């Protein structure tokens, strides 16, 4: 593992049954067995090594038994590299129409058709195992912000109890080459985060995620919690900040020693015509691009930038063509995956801090034009 000298950034690798993953890594989000507007071929071409799947969504539609009967999630969606599955905890708390939490698990109504379901921590592991996930996540309660101390403390204890049960279920039928990550909760209370970390470390998980962040708290609070929690995590295990984020957020987290990221931002922004470059964002609908013959980013080697002008991409976007979503998504994911590669190289050379400052300094060029 390579370590940066000026920050806590580190570069390493994660070995899965579906290939090696170089960290720090960005994982495109494929919630419904699809990274929106991207074929698996497109994902490989931009350098993707691992994607995110979602137990909650796939359990409700098309159903875990169906996917398992067709060979598991890799086979079903024809994805040959690694898959990390979210346990569904976050989605149950953010999407389900009704939920009732007990020590046993969660009763909830589907956001799709209102049907009633019960998922226990053990069920969540069984679901992720049936999907054929490489990296499984424990089932946790993700509480909204703000949460009072008493609620946050009780929820944190519930999350620890559920993590133990997830681990037992995982170890009972362990599949070689897979990993189970714990999720640290505790809202914005540092002592709860510390307590949660200590309890989860005793259980010796394969990796540790920080959950319950970017749920409405001020951004400085998010980073206070990350700076407070990350140093308490084992050096030799991967660290994952769930749902983060924007390129500038990724730099900040990498500087705190975080290794793994996922976010819908590159794909969602692509569909909304917001394109990332090293010189800042290009809002493709802007009329200044109407006759612009240049690619989104002249330094970018993605399929979109090698073949199409801003003028054409603007036209596709303004016409509501599906191809706009495809070409924009290819560019944004290529940007994210290449950014991570450059971050890893900078860490290995001991130049991460300088690369970070240089990135920030050049981010406003497009908006200043
Ligand atoms: Zn490009």
């Amino acid at each position: 593992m390579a370590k940066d000298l000026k920050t806590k950034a580190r570069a390493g690798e994660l070995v899965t049954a579906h290939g090696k993953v170089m960290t720090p890594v960005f994982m495109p989000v494929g919630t419904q067995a699809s990274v929106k507007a991207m074929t698996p071929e497109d994902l490989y071409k931009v350098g993707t090594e691992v994607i995110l799947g979602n137990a909650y969504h796939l359990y409700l539609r098309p159903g875990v038994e169906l996917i398992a009967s067709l060979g598991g999630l890799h086979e079903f969606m024809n994805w040959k590299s690694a898959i990390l599955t979210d346990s569904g905890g976050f989605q149950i708390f953010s999407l389900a129409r009704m939920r009732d939490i007990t020590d046993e698990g969660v009763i909830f109504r589907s956001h799709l058709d209102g049907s009633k379901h019960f998922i226990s921590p053990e069920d969540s592991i069984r679901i992720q195992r049936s999907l054929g996930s490489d990296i499984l996540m424990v089932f946790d309660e993700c509480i909204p912000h703000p949460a009072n101390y008493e609620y946050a403390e009780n929820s944190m204890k519930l999350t620890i109890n559920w993590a133990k049960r997830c681990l037992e279920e995982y170890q009972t039928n362990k599949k070689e080459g897979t990993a189970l990550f714990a999720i640290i909760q505790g809202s914005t209370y540092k002592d709860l985060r510390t307590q949660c970390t200590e309890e989860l470390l005793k259980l010796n998980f394969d990796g540790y995620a920080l959950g319950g962040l970017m749920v409405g708290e001020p951004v400085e609070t998010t980073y206070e919690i990350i700076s407070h929690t990350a140093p308490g995590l084992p050096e030799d295990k991967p660290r994952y900040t769930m749902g983060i984020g924007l390129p500038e957020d990724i730099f900040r987290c990498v500087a705190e020693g975080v290794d793994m990221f996922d976010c819908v931002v590159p794909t969602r922004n692509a569909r909304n015509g917001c394109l990332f470059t090293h010189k800042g964002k290009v809002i493709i609908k802007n009329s200044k691009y109407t006759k612009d013959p240049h690619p989104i980013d002249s330094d970018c080697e993605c399929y979109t930038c090698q073949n199409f002008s801003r003028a054409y991409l603007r036209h596709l976007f303004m016409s509501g063509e599906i191809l706009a979503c495809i070409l924009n998504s290819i560019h944004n994911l290529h940007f994210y995956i290449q950014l991570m590669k450059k971050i890893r190289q900078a860490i290995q050379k001991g130049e991460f801090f300088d690369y970070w400052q240089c990135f920030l300094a050049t981010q406003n060029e497009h908006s200043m034009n």
Side-chain angles (χ1 to χ4, degrees):
M1 186 193 294
K3 283 186 188 170
D4 184 50
L5 300 174
K6 291 186 187 165
T7 69
K8 299 189 187 94
R10 49 213 226 129
E13 66 176 38
L14 201 63
V15 180
T16 78
H18 290 89
K20 273 185 195 169
V21 174
M22 307 301 284
T23 64
V25 65
F26 180 79
M27 306 181 281
V29 179
T31 301
Q32 318 223 42
S34 153
V35 175
K36 291 190 194 303
M38 296 284 286
T39 65
E41 206 58 37
D42 292 335
L43 288 167
Y44 300 134
K45 278 184 187 159
V46 299
T48 311
E49 292 177 332
V50 51
I51 60 166
L52 205 84
N54 193 282
Y56 169 83
H57 287 276
L58 298 172
Y59 160 82
L60 290 177
R61 181 175 62 191
V64 177
E65 285 87 34
L66 185 142
I67 293 176
S69 74
L70 291 168
L73 189 52
H74 288 89
E75 189 76 17
F76 185 53
M77 66 183 289
N78 191 30
W79 175 249
K80 293 177 173 54
S81 297
I83 298 177
L84 178 148
T85 45
D86 198 353
S87 64
F90 178 77
Q91 285 71 28
I92 288 175
F93 299 103
S94 63
L95 288 177
R97 283 193 207 163
M98 172 286 286
R99 59 181 185 268
D100 186 13
I101 306 157
T102 66
D103 285 346
E104 269 313 294
V106 185
I107 301 166
F108 64 95
R109 283 196 186 277
S110 159
H111 73 289
L112 297 173
D113 60 8
S115 56
K116 205 170 169 183
H117 301 265
F118 171 77
I119 291 187
S120 69
E122 290 84 0
D123 292 334
S124 166
I125 295 299
R126 285 182 209 118
I127 291 168
Q128 294 178 74
R129 187 191 292 130
S130 300
L131 291 171
S133 173
D134 297 293
I135 304 170
L136 297 79
M137 301 300 299
V138 298
F139 194 57
D140 62 331
E141 184 188 10
C142 185
I143 58 173
H145 178 83
N148 70 43
Y149 189 86
E150 194 186 353
Y151 178 24
E153 185 177 24
N154 288 333
S155 170
M156 183 268 291
K157 286 178 180 164
L158 182 77
T159 287
I160 293 168
N161 180 26
W162 285 1
K164 282 181 193 161
R165 287 168 53 188
C166 284
L167 186 63
E168 277 169 28
E169 174 59 35
Y170 172 74
Q171 286 173 336
T172 307
N173 292 296
K174 191 178 171 181
K175 215 165 118 187
E176 279 311 307
T178 64
L180 177 66
F181 283 20
I183 304 175
I184 297 160
Q185 294 287 352
S187 187
T188 52
Y189 305 103
K190 288 182 185 170
D191 61 323
L192 295 183
R193 290 274 174 182
T194 303
Q195 203 183 326
C196 193
T197 306
E198 285 169 359
E199 291 300 318
L200 292 173
L201 287 190
K202 286 180 198 163
L203 299 169
N204 196 22
F205 285 88
D206 300 313
Y208 294 89
L210 273 79
L213 294 173
M214 299 261 178
V215 289
E217 77 280 11
V219 70
E220 286 315 312
T221 307
T222 311
Y223 287 106
E224 267 178 43
I225 293 297
I226 294 171
S227 322
H228 171 80
T229 313
L233 297 173
E235 279 282 309
D236 60 344
K237 302 271 172 87
R239 305 159 179 178
Y240 167 26
T241 43
M242 305 178 81
I244 294 179
L246 290 164
E248 53 269 33
D249 294 323
I250 290 178
F251 274 102
R252 276 187 86 166
C253 291
V254 166
E256 296 292 345
V258 177
D259 310 300
M260 300 168 72
F261 302 90
D262 82 277
C263 194
V264 295
V265 155
T267 40
R268 181 177 289 165
N269 280 19
R271 298 193 301 280
N272 293 329
C274 173
L275 306 167
F276 292 94
T277 82
H278 275 84
K279 294 176 180 171
K281 293 180 191 115
V282 170
I283 308 300
I284 202 67
K285 72 175 179 192
N286 199 317
S287 59
K288 70 182 174 186
Y289 301 126
T290 307
K291 295 178 182 175
D292 191 333
H294 302 102
I296 303 164
D297 180 347
S298 50
D299 295 328
C300 179
E301 292 175 350
C302 85
Y303 170 75
T304 306
C305 289
Q306 292 299 308
N307 292 284
F308 305 100
S309 64
R310 290 175 183 167
Y312 179 62
L313 294 170
R314 179 176 186 275
H315 159 71
L316 290 180
F317 183 79
M318 299 307 280
S319 315
E321 284 294 328
I322 292 170
L323 190 56
C325 296
I326 296 171
L327 295 177
N328 292 350
S329 299
I330 288 172
H331 169 79
N332 271 1
L333 279 180
H334 183 272
F335 172 83
Y336 260 70
I337 306 271
Q338 289 304 309
L339 182 71
M340 301 315 290
K341 192 175 168 185
K342 285 172 190 162
I343 287 175
R344 288 195 300 271
Q345 287 169 346
I347 296 170
Q348 278 151 0
K349 286 186 202 159
E351 296 167 356
F352 170 74
F353 184 78
D354 298 334
Y355 178 53
W356 178 15
Q357 299 313 306
C358 177
F359 179 86
L360 293 177
T362 54
Q363 272 301 286
N364 292 322
E365 285 186 23
H366 275 298
S367 41
M368 283 156 66
N369 284 342

